[in-house]
Amino acid sequence: MNPRNRKQQVTRVFDGRTHHIALCRGFRDQLPVFGWGEAPSTLLTTAQLRDAGLRRNGQDPVALLVFRHQRPYARETVAELFSVELAAPKRAAAPGQMDHAMEARRTCVDCARVQDYCVPTSTRQCWDCFDDEQGGQVEAAA
Ligand SMILES: [Zn+2]
């Protein structure tokens, strides 16, 4: 069934501070289901919270977001929505985690050597491997 064709229902959503009256597309697991851009603006997915420098802070989802991916195919995805009001700032990573993350960013995907600089995120290659590859292409073109 296409959720777009379903009649919208009035629901109440409590985000921890404010009771919102909103139109939803129905309910799933007792949670109101919203389409993209239809949920109250204080409700965010975990990815959106992360982008905003927040974490869900142990709260339960207050609603669900249903959307379709453009690519690779129009797959329906359901994401849990959390309240910005109940979220907390992201904890700073522990020193050990930080080292590990930094080492990953300095590791070349081609030669697997850990460099003393961060490899470009576009290629994930160290400059030696990048140069080798570029050199090869120039030679092949000549
Ligand atoms: Zn390399």
Side-chain angles (χ1 to χ4, degrees), residues 3-4 48 75 77 92 98 140:
R4 251 177 262 269
Q48 290 169 330
R75 179 164 53 95
T77 299
M98 213 52 201

Side-chain angles (χ1 to χ4, degrees), residues 8-69:
Q8 296 199 315
Q9 291 176 267
V10 176
T11 185
R12 276 168 151 269
V13 186
F14 182 57
D15 69 11
R17 191 151 101 183
T18 314
H19 284 278
H20 296 272
I21 306 292
L23 282 174
C24 72
R25 297 179 174 201
F27 296 87
R28 209 178 279 190
D29 300 331
Q30 274 106 56
L31 295 174
V33 176
F34 292 102
W36 190 261
E38 294 171 1
S41 59
T42 50
L43 304 184
L44 297 179
T45 64
T46 46
Q48 290 169 330
L49 283 175
R50 197 166 50 229
D51 287 348
L54 299 167
R55 59 191 170 86
R56 66 187 264 193
N57 198 22
Q59 64 176 297
D60 290 324
V62 291
L64 297 172
L65 176 71
V66 177
F67 61 94
R68 285 177 187 279
H69 286 274

Side-chain angles (χ1 to χ4, degrees), residues 107-113 115 117 119 124-130 132:
T107 307
C108 171
V109 289
D110 273 9
C111 64
R113 280 182 303 196
Q115 304 295 338
Y117 53 86
V119 297
R124 312 286 299 165
Q125 289 175 313
C126 70
W127 292 120
D128 287 346
C129 289
F130 183 78
D132 282 354

